[in-house]
Amino acid sequence: MRNKITDVKVLERIGKLREIDRITQWESGFLESLAESFNTWKGLTPRQYEIFEKIEKKHTDPSVVKGWNEWVKEYDDEKRKVAKIVAKYYQATNRRNGTGYWGDLPSKIINDDKYIPTRRQFEKMTGNSYAKRAIASATEDAKFPVGSIARIRKGISYTHKCAKYPNEDVLILSVLEDAREYKTSQACLLSNPANIFEIQQRHLKKSPNNK
């Protein structure tokens, strides 16, 4: 059996690595457990040390550091704005659905203006189809603004409440600003104003009654 690694400098290296902002949530937790393990058992097992070295190389290799520094320069106000839009979308989606997409990354992006996700995180987080729709929803003007009249389209999935009212006219009461995948409004039926519900604007079309 290989001997465990007991050099205290390893503990110092673990500490320095934990200070790097770009480490992932899993890596942060793993490094924390390594530090606790080292302090408790006065060293690391060969397998623990092997994984630690892989993480260390990943974040301290000169080419990686160079790439990170270049990315920091590229991460301008526009990218930060896009990252915040998508982070708010995932945070809201997680809250509505009880999911945990992207772990604590959305919270870091939203609450810390100095935080910079890695290039890979940014590209994966903002480049998927859901994120692109959320970005469009947050940045494009509402097709049907507050006070306008629109008509509900036919053929909407039964999972949407508005599917029960095909070709009915609605009055747009508000345009919701709570990080949706699609721009969404609160509306009421013109035929029954007490019937108020949310509807995605993609499910609406122009109404001849909208003067």
Side-chain angles (χ1 to χ4, degrees), residues 33-79:
S33 71
L34 284 188
E36 292 176 354
S37 180
F38 194 101
N39 288 322
T40 301
W41 305 106
K42 308 305 178 184
L44 303 179
T45 66
R47 180 56 179 162
Q48 286 175 319
Y49 185 70
E50 180 184 351
I51 298 173
F52 163 70
E53 281 193 312
K54 289 181 179 179
I55 298 173
E56 185 180 46
K57 182 178 180 180
K58 171 184 173 183
H59 293 290
T60 61
D61 184 274
S63 63
V64 173
V65 174
K66 180 182 178 182
W68 170 253
N69 290 336
E70 290 173 350
W71 170 239
V72 169
K73 293 178 181 179
E74 292 178 36
Y75 192 75
D76 55 15
D77 289 342
E78 182 60 28
K79 285 185 172 61

mmCIF file of all heavy atoms in Angstrom, residues 33-79:
data_model
loop_
_atom_site.group_PDB
_atom_site.id
_atom_site.type_symbol
_atom_site.label_atom_id
_atom_site.label_comp_id
_atom_site.label_asym_id
_atom_site.label_seq_id
_atom_site.Cartn_x
_atom_site.Cartn_y
_atom_site.Cartn_z
ATOM 1 N N SER A 33 -13.152 19.307 1.653
ATOM 2 C CA SER A 33 -13.094 18.000 2.302
ATOM 3 C C SER A 33 -11.647 17.511 2.416
ATOM 4 O O SER A 33 -11.287 16.842 3.397
ATOM 5 C CB SER A 33 -13.940 16.982 1.537
ATOM 6 O OG SER A 33 -13.345 16.636 0.295
ATOM 7 N N LEU A 34 -10.806 17.840 1.429
ATOM 8 C CA LEU A 34 -9.396 17.466 1.488
ATOM 9 C C LEU A 34 -8.705 18.149 2.662
ATOM 10 O O LEU A 34 -7.920 17.524 3.385
ATOM 11 C CB LEU A 34 -8.674 17.850 0.191
ATOM 12 C CG LEU A 34 -8.901 16.987 -1.050
ATOM 13 C CD1 LEU A 34 -7.957 17.423 -2.166
ATOM 14 C CD2 LEU A 34 -8.719 15.506 -0.762
ATOM 15 N N ALA A 35 -8.988 19.441 2.833
ATOM 16 C CA ALA A 35 -8.375 20.184 3.933
ATOM 17 C C ALA A 35 -8.790 19.587 5.273
ATOM 18 O O ALA A 35 -7.955 19.418 6.185
ATOM 19 C CB ALA A 35 -8.767 21.663 3.856
ATOM 20 N N GLU A 36 -10.071 19.251 5.402
ATOM 21 C CA GLU A 36 -10.558 18.646 6.643
ATOM 22 C C GLU A 36 -9.910 17.283 6.858
ATOM 23 O O GLU A 36 -9.518 16.936 7.987
ATOM 24 C CB GLU A 36 -12.075 18.520 6.590
ATOM 25 C CG GLU A 36 -12.809 19.857 6.612
ATOM 26 C CD GLU A 36 -14.312 19.686 6.451
ATOM 27 O OE1 GLU A 36 -14.754 18.536 6.212
ATOM 28 O OE2 GLU A 36 -15.041 20.690 6.550
ATOM 29 N N SER A 37 -9.816 16.519 5.773
ATOM 30 C CA SER A 37 -9.216 15.190 5.867
ATOM 31 C C SER A 37 -7.744 15.281 6.262
ATOM 32 O O SER A 37 -7.260 14.500 7.098
ATOM 33 C CB SER A 37 -9.357 14.466 4.526
ATOM 34 O OG SER A 37 -8.787 13.181 4.577
ATOM 35 N N PHE A 38 -7.018 16.230 5.660
ATOM 36 C CA PHE A 38 -5.594 16.395 5.971
ATOM 37 C C PHE A 38 -5.413 16.746 7.450
ATOM 38 O O PHE A 38 -4.539 16.196 8.140
ATOM 39 C CB PHE A 38 -4.995 17.497 5.099
ATOM 40 C CG PHE A 38 -3.492 17.525 5.098
ATOM 41 C CD1 PHE A 38 -2.783 16.989 4.033
ATOM 42 C CD2 PHE A 38 -2.775 18.065 6.165
ATOM 43 C CE1 PHE A 38 -1.382 16.999 4.029
ATOM 44 C CE2 PHE A 38 -1.390 18.075 6.177
ATOM 45 C CZ PHE A 38 -0.683 17.540 5.104
ATOM 46 N N ASN A 39 -6.244 17.667 7.935
ATOM 47 C CA ASN A 39 -6.131 18.084 9.337
ATOM 48 C C ASN A 39 -6.514 16.965 10.304
ATOM 49 O O ASN A 39 -5.946 16.848 11.393
ATOM 50 C CB ASN A 39 -7.007 19.317 9.588
ATOM 51 C CG ASN A 39 -6.430 20.570 8.953
ATOM 52 O OD1 ASN A 39 -5.210 20.770 8.949
ATOM 53 N ND2 ASN A 39 -7.295 21.431 8.429
ATOM 54 N N THR A 40 -7.479 16.140 9.892
ATOM 55 C CA THR A 40 -7.937 15.058 10.769
ATOM 56 C C THR A 40 -6.976 13.870 10.769
ATOM 57 O O THR A 40 -6.634 13.335 11.832
ATOM 58 C CB THR A 40 -9.341 14.581 10.333
ATOM 59 O OG1 THR A 40 -10.255 15.678 10.396
ATOM 60 C CG2 THR A 40 -9.822 13.451 11.240
ATOM 61 N N TRP A 41 -6.518 13.495 9.570
ATOM 62 C CA TRP A 41 -5.711 12.290 9.442
ATOM 63 C C TRP A 41 -4.233 12.573 9.166
ATOM 64 O O TRP A 41 -3.470 11.656 8.884
ATOM 65 C CB TRP A 41 -6.280 11.415 8.326
ATOM 66 C CG TRP A 41 -7.729 11.086 8.524
ATOM 67 C CD1 TRP A 41 -8.783 11.592 7.854
ATOM 68 C CD2 TRP A 41 -8.272 10.187 9.498
ATOM 69 N NE1 TRP A 41 -9.976 11.082 8.326
ATOM 70 C CE2 TRP A 41 -9.674 10.194 9.344
ATOM 71 C CE3 TRP A 41 -7.716 9.361 10.488
ATOM 72 C CZ2 TRP A 41 -10.524 9.434 10.139
ATOM 73 C CZ3 TRP A 41 -8.564 8.591 11.271
ATOM 74 C CH2 TRP A 41 -9.946 8.638 11.091
ATOM 75 N N LYS A 42 -3.887 13.867 9.233
ATOM 76 C CA LYS A 42 -2.475 14.282 9.061
ATOM 77 C C LYS A 42 -1.924 13.890 7.697
ATOM 78 O O LYS A 42 -0.758 13.508 7.572
ATOM 79 C CB LYS A 42 -1.595 13.695 10.177
ATOM 80 C CG LYS A 42 -2.090 13.967 11.589
ATOM 81 C CD LYS A 42 -2.290 15.451 11.823
ATOM 82 C CE LYS A 42 -2.840 15.707 13.233
ATOM 83 N NZ LYS A 42 -3.139 17.139 13.459
ATOM 84 N N GLY A 43 -2.775 13.954 6.685
ATOM 85 C CA GLY A 43 -2.299 13.657 5.341
ATOM 86 C C GLY A 43 -3.422 13.244 4.417
ATOM 87 O O GLY A 43 -4.597 13.185 4.821
ATOM 88 N N LEU A 44 -3.069 12.984 3.157
ATOM 89 C CA LEU A 44 -4.029 12.549 2.147
ATOM 90 C C LEU A 44 -3.666 11.163 1.641
ATOM 91 O O LEU A 44 -2.493 10.782 1.634
ATOM 92 C CB LEU A 44 -4.041 13.521 0.953
ATOM 93 C CG LEU A 44 -4.344 14.989 1.224
ATOM 94 C CD1 LEU A 44 -4.276 15.778 -0.088
ATOM 95 C CD2 LEU A 44 -5.710 15.152 1.870
ATOM 96 N N THR A 45 -4.671 10.433 1.195
ATOM 97 C CA THR A 45 -4.398 9.152 0.557
ATOM 98 C C THR A 45 -3.827 9.431 -0.838
ATOM 99 O O THR A 45 -4.038 10.514 -1.402
ATOM 100 C CB THR A 45 -5.671 8.315 0.416
ATOM 101 O OG1 THR A 45 -6.558 8.963 -0.504
ATOM 102 C CG2 THR A 45 -6.365 8.153 1.761
ATOM 103 N N PRO A 46 -3.128 8.469 -1.418
ATOM 104 C CA PRO A 46 -2.607 8.671 -2.775
ATOM 105 C C PRO A 46 -3.699 9.031 -3.780
ATOM 106 O O PRO A 46 -3.476 9.849 -4.677
ATOM 107 C CB PRO A 46 -1.964 7.318 -3.094
ATOM 108 C CG PRO A 46 -1.539 6.788 -1.760
ATOM 109 C CD PRO A 46 -2.629 7.209 -0.818
ATOM 110 N N ARG A 47 -4.861 8.421 -3.636
ATOM 111 C CA ARG A 47 -5.953 8.725 -4.563
ATOM 112 C C ARG A 47 -6.452 10.153 -4.381
ATOM 113 O O ARG A 47 -6.719 10.852 -5.368
ATOM 114 C CB ARG A 47 -7.094 7.741 -4.358
ATOM 115 C CG ARG A 47 -8.300 7.963 -5.271
ATOM 116 C CD ARG A 47 -7.920 7.940 -6.723
ATOM 117 N NE ARG A 47 -9.089 8.124 -7.590
ATOM 118 C CZ ARG A 47 -9.025 8.489 -8.855
ATOM 119 N NH1 ARG A 47 -7.838 8.715 -9.430
ATOM 120 N NH2 ARG A 47 -10.122 8.633 -9.578
ATOM 121 N N GLN A 48 -6.577 10.604 -3.148
ATOM 122 C CA GLN A 48 -6.985 11.984 -2.898
ATOM 123 C C GLN A 48 -5.987 12.965 -3.514
ATOM 124 O O GLN A 48 -6.362 13.959 -4.135
ATOM 125 C CB GLN A 48 -7.097 12.241 -1.388
ATOM 126 C CG GLN A 48 -8.296 11.617 -0.723
ATOM 127 C CD GLN A 48 -8.285 11.812 0.783
ATOM 128 O OE1 GLN A 48 -7.232 11.704 1.425
ATOM 129 N NE2 GLN A 48 -9.448 12.081 1.356
ATOM 130 N N TYR A 49 -4.720 12.648 -3.318
ATOM 131 C CA TYR A 49 -3.669 13.528 -3.831
ATOM 132 C C TYR A 49 -3.662 13.538 -5.361
ATOM 133 O O TYR A 49 -3.437 14.584 -5.980
ATOM 134 C CB TYR A 49 -2.309 13.083 -3.297
ATOM 135 C CG TYR A 49 -1.184 14.012 -3.682
ATOM 136 C CD1 TYR A 49 -1.092 15.281 -3.131
ATOM 137 C CD2 TYR A 49 -0.206 13.608 -4.597
ATOM 138 C CE1 TYR A 49 -0.054 16.145 -3.487
ATOM 139 C CE2 TYR A 49 0.833 14.457 -4.957
ATOM 140 C CZ TYR A 49 0.901 15.730 -4.399
ATOM 141 O OH TYR A 49 1.924 16.576 -4.760
ATOM 142 N N GLU A 50 -3.932 12.418 -5.957
ATOM 143 C CA GLU A 50 -3.971 12.323 -7.418
ATOM 144 C C GLU A 50 -5.063 13.229 -7.986
ATOM 145 O O GLU A 50 -4.835 13.959 -8.965
ATOM 146 C CB GLU A 50 -4.224 10.872 -7.820
ATOM 147 C CG GLU A 50 -4.291 10.654 -9.329
ATOM 148 C CD GLU A 50 -4.644 9.218 -9.691
ATOM 149 O OE1 GLU A 50 -4.675 8.355 -8.775
ATOM 150 O OE2 GLU A 50 -4.901 8.955 -10.880
ATOM 151 N N ILE A 51 -6.231 13.196 -7.374
ATOM 152 C CA ILE A 51 -7.340 14.044 -7.843
ATOM 153 C C ILE A 51 -7.012 15.514 -7.594
ATOM 154 O O ILE A 51 -7.282 16.380 -8.441
ATOM 155 C CB ILE A 51 -8.649 13.649 -7.138
ATOM 156 C CG1 ILE A 51 -9.013 12.202 -7.478
ATOM 157 C CG2 ILE A 51 -9.781 14.592 -7.542
ATOM 158 C CD1 ILE A 51 -10.203 11.675 -6.704
ATOM 159 N N PHE A 52 -6.422 15.793 -6.437
ATOM 160 C CA PHE A 52 -6.026 17.171 -6.126
ATOM 161 C C PHE A 52 -5.063 17.714 -7.184
ATOM 162 O O PHE A 52 -5.208 18.845 -7.647
ATOM 163 C CB PHE A 52 -5.374 17.236 -4.743
ATOM 164 C CG PHE A 52 -4.580 18.486 -4.518
ATOM 165 C CD1 PHE A 52 -5.211 19.712 -4.375
ATOM 166 C CD2 PHE A 52 -3.186 18.438 -4.477
ATOM 167 C CE1 PHE A 52 -4.468 20.880 -4.194
ATOM 168 C CE2 PHE A 52 -2.443 19.588 -4.288
ATOM 169 C CZ PHE A 52 -3.084 20.819 -4.150
ATOM 170 N N GLU A 53 -4.084 16.918 -7.571
ATOM 171 C CA GLU A 53 -3.103 17.370 -8.562
ATOM 172 C C GLU A 53 -3.771 17.682 -9.902
ATOM 173 O O GLU A 53 -3.373 18.630 -10.590
ATOM 174 C CB GLU A 53 -2.018 16.307 -8.757
ATOM 175 C CG GLU A 53 -0.968 16.286 -7.661
ATOM 176 C CD GLU A 53 0.236 15.451 -8.051
ATOM 177 O OE1 GLU A 53 0.038 14.316 -8.520
ATOM 178 O OE2 GLU A 53 1.370 15.936 -7.880
ATOM 179 N N LYS A 54 -4.773 16.897 -10.272
ATOM 180 C CA LYS A 54 -5.479 17.148 -11.517
ATOM 181 C C LYS A 54 -6.207 18.494 -11.463
ATOM 182 O O LYS A 54 -6.193 19.270 -12.431
ATOM 183 C CB LYS A 54 -6.476 16.022 -11.799
ATOM 184 C CG LYS A 54 -5.830 14.709 -12.196
ATOM 185 C CD LYS A 54 -6.875 13.648 -12.486
ATOM 186 C CE LYS A 54 -6.226 12.326 -12.902
ATOM 187 N NZ LYS A 54 -7.242 11.267 -13.167
ATOM 188 N N ILE A 55 -6.847 18.759 -10.332
ATOM 189 C CA ILE A 55 -7.552 20.037 -10.165
ATOM 190 C C ILE A 55 -6.551 21.189 -10.162
ATOM 191 O O ILE A 55 -6.771 22.237 -10.793
ATOM 192 C CB ILE A 55 -8.380 20.035 -8.864
ATOM 193 C CG1 ILE A 55 -9.451 18.953 -8.921
ATOM 194 C CG2 ILE A 55 -9.021 21.407 -8.634
ATOM 195 C CD1 ILE A 55 -10.203 18.766 -7.615
ATOM 196 N N GLU A 56 -5.446 20.993 -9.469
ATOM 197 C CA GLU A 56 -4.421 22.035 -9.383
ATOM 198 C C GLU A 56 -3.863 22.360 -10.771
ATOM 199 O O GLU A 56 -3.726 23.537 -11.146
ATOM 200 C CB GLU A 56 -3.301 21.585 -8.451
ATOM 201 C CG GLU A 56 -2.239 22.656 -8.208
ATOM 202 C CD GLU A 56 -1.151 22.154 -7.271
ATOM 203 O OE1 GLU A 56 -0.674 21.013 -7.465
ATOM 204 O OE2 GLU A 56 -0.776 22.899 -6.350
ATOM 205 N N LYS A 57 -3.557 21.331 -11.529
ATOM 206 C CA LYS A 57 -3.015 21.549 -12.874
ATOM 207 C C LYS A 57 -4.026 22.246 -13.761
ATOM 208 O O LYS A 57 -3.681 23.132 -14.559
ATOM 209 C CB LYS A 57 -2.607 20.213 -13.495
ATOM 210 C CG LYS A 57 -1.978 20.366 -14.875
ATOM 211 C CD LYS A 57 -1.530 19.021 -15.438
ATOM 212 C CE LYS A 57 -0.901 19.208 -16.821
ATOM 213 N NZ LYS A 57 -0.450 17.928 -17.405
ATOM 214 N N LYS A 58 -5.278 21.866 -13.608
ATOM 215 C CA LYS A 58 -6.348 22.457 -14.414
ATOM 216 C C LYS A 58 -6.410 23.964 -14.245
ATOM 217 O O LYS A 58 -6.691 24.694 -15.207
ATOM 218 C CB LYS A 58 -7.687 21.826 -14.010
ATOM 219 C CG LYS A 58 -8.917 22.488 -14.620
ATOM 220 C CD LYS A 58 -10.189 21.864 -14.080
ATOM 221 C CE LYS A 58 -11.415 22.633 -14.551
ATOM 222 N NZ LYS A 58 -12.669 22.077 -13.983
ATOM 223 N N HIS A 59 -6.128 24.452 -13.042
ATOM 224 C CA HIS A 59 -6.297 25.875 -12.752
ATOM 225 C C HIS A 59 -4.995 26.672 -12.677
ATOM 226 O O HIS A 59 -5.040 27.907 -12.618
ATOM 227 C CB HIS A 59 -7.077 26.051 -11.446
ATOM 228 C CG HIS A 59 -8.507 25.596 -11.545
ATOM 229 N ND1 HIS A 59 -9.448 26.267 -12.293
ATOM 230 C CD2 HIS A 59 -9.132 24.511 -11.012
ATOM 231 C CE1 HIS A 59 -10.609 25.637 -12.199
ATOM 232 N NE2 HIS A 59 -10.441 24.571 -11.425
ATOM 233 N N THR A 60 -3.856 25.995 -12.690
ATOM 234 C CA THR A 60 -2.584 26.718 -12.554
ATOM 235 C C THR A 60 -1.649 26.526 -13.738
ATOM 236 O O THR A 60 -0.600 27.172 -13.798
ATOM 237 C CB THR A 60 -1.850 26.297 -11.262
ATOM 238 O OG1 THR A 60 -1.558 24.884 -11.322
ATOM 239 C CG2 THR A 60 -2.688 26.593 -10.028
ATOM 240 N N ASP A 61 -2.010 25.658 -14.669
ATOM 241 C CA ASP A 61 -1.186 25.485 -15.859
ATOM 242 C C ASP A 61 -1.034 26.840 -16.568
ATOM 243 O O ASP A 61 -2.017 27.572 -16.727
ATOM 244 C CB ASP A 61 -1.856 24.473 -16.798
ATOM 245 C CG ASP A 61 -1.007 24.183 -18.015
ATOM 246 O OD1 ASP A 61 -1.118 24.946 -18.995
ATOM 247 O OD2 ASP A 61 -0.237 23.207 -17.984
ATOM 248 N N PRO A 62 0.182 27.208 -17.002
ATOM 249 C CA PRO A 62 0.415 28.521 -17.622
ATOM 250 C C PRO A 62 -0.526 28.828 -18.784
ATOM 251 O O PRO A 62 -0.996 29.962 -18.929
ATOM 252 C CB PRO A 62 1.867 28.427 -18.095
ATOM 253 C CG PRO A 62 2.501 27.476 -17.139
ATOM 254 C CD PRO A 62 1.443 26.461 -16.839
ATOM 255 N N SER A 63 -0.824 27.835 -19.612
ATOM 256 C CA SER A 63 -1.721 28.070 -20.747
ATOM 257 C C SER A 63 -3.136 28.366 -20.271
ATOM 258 O O SER A 63 -3.856 29.176 -20.874
ATOM 259 C CB SER A 63 -1.723 26.859 -21.682
ATOM 260 O OG SER A 63 -2.225 25.705 -21.015
ATOM 261 N N VAL A 64 -3.534 27.703 -19.165
ATOM 262 C CA VAL A 64 -4.855 27.941 -18.599
ATOM 263 C C VAL A 64 -4.932 29.348 -18.013
ATOM 264 O O VAL A 64 -5.911 30.075 -18.217
ATOM 265 C CB VAL A 64 -5.180 26.896 -17.512
ATOM 266 C CG1 VAL A 64 -6.485 27.250 -16.806
ATOM 267 C CG2 VAL A 64 -5.277 25.508 -18.121
ATOM 268 N N VAL A 65 -3.897 29.734 -17.291
ATOM 269 C CA VAL A 65 -3.850 31.072 -16.685
ATOM 270 C C VAL A 65 -3.883 32.143 -17.776
ATOM 271 O O VAL A 65 -4.582 33.156 -17.656
ATOM 272 C CB VAL A 65 -2.595 31.229 -15.809
ATOM 273 C CG1 VAL A 65 -2.475 32.665 -15.297
ATOM 274 C CG2 VAL A 65 -2.637 30.251 -14.638
ATOM 275 N N LYS A 66 -3.136 31.915 -18.855
ATOM 276 C CA LYS A 66 -3.123 32.858 -19.973
ATOM 277 C C LYS A 66 -4.518 32.988 -20.579
ATOM 278 O O LYS A 66 -5.001 34.109 -20.852
ATOM 279 C CB LYS A 66 -2.129 32.399 -21.035
ATOM 280 C CG LYS A 66 -2.061 33.331 -22.238
ATOM 281 C CD LYS A 66 -1.095 32.797 -23.300
ATOM 282 C CE LYS A 66 -1.072 33.715 -24.521
ATOM 283 N NZ LYS A 66 -0.189 33.201 -25.588
ATOM 284 N N GLY A 67 -5.173 31.850 -20.790
ATOM 285 C CA GLY A 67 -6.514 31.862 -21.350
ATOM 286 C C GLY A 67 -7.501 32.576 -20.444
ATOM 287 O O GLY A 67 -8.382 33.307 -20.909
ATOM 288 N N TRP A 68 -7.337 32.376 -19.139
ATOM 289 C CA TRP A 68 -8.217 33.039 -18.168
ATOM 290 C C TRP A 68 -8.026 34.549 -18.215
ATOM 291 O O TRP A 68 -9.001 35.311 -18.221
ATOM 292 C CB TRP A 68 -7.951 32.519 -16.771
ATOM 293 C CG TRP A 68 -8.651 33.313 -15.698
ATOM 294 C CD1 TRP A 68 -8.094 34.180 -14.821
ATOM 295 C CD2 TRP A 68 -10.057 33.313 -15.416
ATOM 296 N NE1 TRP A 68 -9.047 34.725 -14.002
ATOM 297 C CE2 TRP A 68 -10.269 34.213 -14.353
ATOM 298 C CE3 TRP A 68 -11.146 32.644 -15.970
ATOM 299 C CZ2 TRP A 68 -11.524 34.460 -13.830
ATOM 300 C CZ3 TRP A 68 -12.404 32.897 -15.440
ATOM 301 C CH2 TRP A 68 -12.583 33.790 -14.390
ATOM 302 N N ASN A 69 -6.792 35.002 -18.256
ATOM 303 C CA ASN A 69 -6.511 36.438 -18.300
ATOM 304 C C ASN A 69 -7.087 37.077 -19.565
ATOM 305 O O ASN A 69 -7.586 38.212 -19.526
ATOM 306 C CB ASN A 69 -5.005 36.694 -18.217
ATOM 307 C CG ASN A 69 -4.436 36.369 -16.849
ATOM 308 O OD1 ASN A 69 -5.161 36.383 -15.846
ATOM 309 N ND2 ASN A 69 -3.157 36.049 -16.797
ATOM 310 N N GLU A 70 -7.030 36.357 -20.664
ATOM 311 C CA GLU A 70 -7.609 36.854 -21.914
ATOM 312 C C GLU A 70 -9.132 36.939 -21.798
ATOM 313 O O GLU A 70 -9.752 37.898 -22.276
ATOM 314 C CB GLU A 70 -7.223 35.932 -23.077
ATOM 315 C CG GLU A 70 -5.745 36.001 -23.443
ATOM 316 C CD GLU A 70 -5.352 34.959 -24.481
ATOM 317 O OE1 GLU A 70 -6.182 34.060 -24.769
ATOM 318 O OE2 GLU A 70 -4.218 35.037 -24.991
ATOM 319 N N TRP A 71 -9.713 35.933 -21.159
ATOM 320 C CA TRP A 71 -11.167 35.921 -20.980
ATOM 321 C C TRP A 71 -11.618 37.059 -20.079
ATOM 322 O O TRP A 71 -12.659 37.682 -20.337
ATOM 323 C CB TRP A 71 -11.604 34.581 -20.407
ATOM 324 C CG TRP A 71 -13.031 34.519 -19.956
ATOM 325 C CD1 TRP A 71 -13.484 34.238 -18.706
ATOM 326 C CD2 TRP A 71 -14.203 34.723 -20.748
ATOM 327 N NE1 TRP A 71 -14.850 34.258 -18.655
ATOM 328 C CE2 TRP A 71 -15.321 34.555 -19.909
ATOM 329 C CE3 TRP A 71 -14.406 35.047 -22.090
ATOM 330 C CZ2 TRP A 71 -16.616 34.697 -20.355
ATOM 331 C CZ3 TRP A 71 -15.718 35.184 -22.542
ATOM 332 C CH2 TRP A 71 -16.804 35.010 -21.681
ATOM 333 N N VAL A 72 -10.870 37.347 -19.040
ATOM 334 C CA VAL A 72 -11.217 38.456 -18.138
ATOM 335 C C VAL A 72 -11.309 39.766 -18.924
ATOM 336 O O VAL A 72 -12.192 40.592 -18.685
ATOM 337 C CB VAL A 72 -10.176 38.575 -17.004
ATOM 338 C CG1 VAL A 72 -10.374 39.882 -16.220
ATOM 339 C CG2 VAL A 72 -10.290 37.382 -16.055
ATOM 340 N N LYS A 73 -10.410 39.965 -19.873
ATOM 341 C CA LYS A 73 -10.432 41.175 -20.699
ATOM 342 C C LYS A 73 -11.636 41.188 -21.635
ATOM 343 O O LYS A 73 -12.194 42.249 -21.929
ATOM 344 C CB LYS A 73 -9.143 41.271 -21.512
ATOM 345 C CG LYS A 73 -7.887 41.509 -20.672
ATOM 346 C CD LYS A 73 -6.642 41.534 -21.545
ATOM 347 C CE LYS A 73 -5.384 41.735 -20.706
ATOM 348 N NZ LYS A 73 -4.154 41.732 -21.543
ATOM 349 N N GLU A 74 -12.027 40.013 -22.104
ATOM 350 C CA GLU A 74 -13.162 39.909 -23.023
ATOM 351 C C GLU A 74 -14.508 40.059 -22.314
ATOM 352 O O GLU A 74 -15.506 40.448 -22.923
ATOM 353 C CB GLU A 74 -13.142 38.563 -23.744
ATOM 354 C CG GLU A 74 -12.000 38.376 -24.715
ATOM 355 C CD GLU A 74 -12.037 36.995 -25.349
ATOM 356 O OE1 GLU A 74 -13.153 36.484 -25.613
ATOM 357 O OE2 GLU A 74 -10.954 36.412 -25.560
ATOM 358 N N TYR A 75 -14.525 39.751 -21.021
ATOM 359 C CA TYR A 75 -15.786 39.740 -20.285
ATOM 360 C C TYR A 75 -16.195 41.183 -19.965
ATOM 361 O O TYR A 75 -15.981 41.693 -18.866
ATOM 362 C CB TYR A 75 -15.624 38.917 -19.008
ATOM 363 C CG TYR A 75 -16.932 38.583 -18.312
ATOM 364 C CD1 TYR A 75 -17.779 37.601 -18.821
ATOM 365 C CD2 TYR A 75 -17.318 39.230 -17.143
ATOM 366 C CE1 TYR A 75 -18.968 37.283 -18.189
ATOM 367 C CE2 TYR A 75 -18.498 38.918 -16.494
ATOM 368 C CZ TYR A 75 -19.323 37.941 -17.027
ATOM 369 O OH TYR A 75 -20.500 37.625 -16.394
ATOM 370 N N ASP A 76 -16.804 41.831 -20.945
ATOM 371 C CA ASP A 76 -17.152 43.239 -20.825
ATOM 372 C C ASP A 76 -18.557 43.414 -20.258
ATOM 373 O O ASP A 76 -19.216 42.450 -19.858
ATOM 374 C CB ASP A 76 -17.025 43.923 -22.190
ATOM 375 C CG ASP A 76 -17.858 43.217 -23.266
ATOM 376 O OD1 ASP A 76 -18.728 42.391 -22.914
ATOM 377 O OD2 ASP A 76 -17.633 43.502 -24.460
ATOM 378 N N ASP A 77 -19.040 44.660 -20.254
ATOM 379 C CA ASP A 77 -20.342 44.969 -19.662
ATOM 380 C C ASP A 77 -21.474 44.254 -20.395
ATOM 381 O O ASP A 77 -22.476 43.864 -19.775
ATOM 382 C CB ASP A 77 -20.582 46.478 -19.677
ATOM 383 C CG ASP A 77 -19.699 47.221 -18.696
ATOM 384 O OD1 ASP A 77 -19.157 46.570 -17.780
ATOM 385 O OD2 ASP A 77 -19.545 48.454 -18.838
ATOM 386 N N GLU A 78 -21.345 44.098 -21.715
ATOM 387 C CA GLU A 78 -22.401 43.437 -22.473
ATOM 388 C C GLU A 78 -22.500 41.953 -22.096
ATOM 389 O O GLU A 78 -23.608 41.427 -21.908
ATOM 390 C CB GLU A 78 -22.127 43.575 -23.972
ATOM 391 C CG GLU A 78 -23.191 42.950 -24.858
ATOM 392 C CD GLU A 78 -24.577 43.544 -24.656
ATOM 393 O OE1 GLU A 78 -24.676 44.737 -24.275
ATOM 394 O OE2 GLU A 78 -25.570 42.811 -24.853
ATOM 395 N N LYS A 79 -21.357 41.286 -21.966
ATOM 396 C CA LYS A 79 -21.367 39.875 -21.550
ATOM 397 C C LYS A 79 -21.889 39.745 -20.127
ATOM 398 O O LYS A 79 -22.603 38.789 -19.803
ATOM 399 C CB LYS A 79 -19.970 39.272 -21.671
ATOM 400 C CG LYS A 79 -19.540 38.958 -23.105
ATOM 401 C CD LYS A 79 -18.206 38.249 -23.128
ATOM 402 C CE LYS A 79 -17.864 37.750 -24.535
ATOM 403 N NZ LYS A 79 -17.756 38.835 -25.517
#
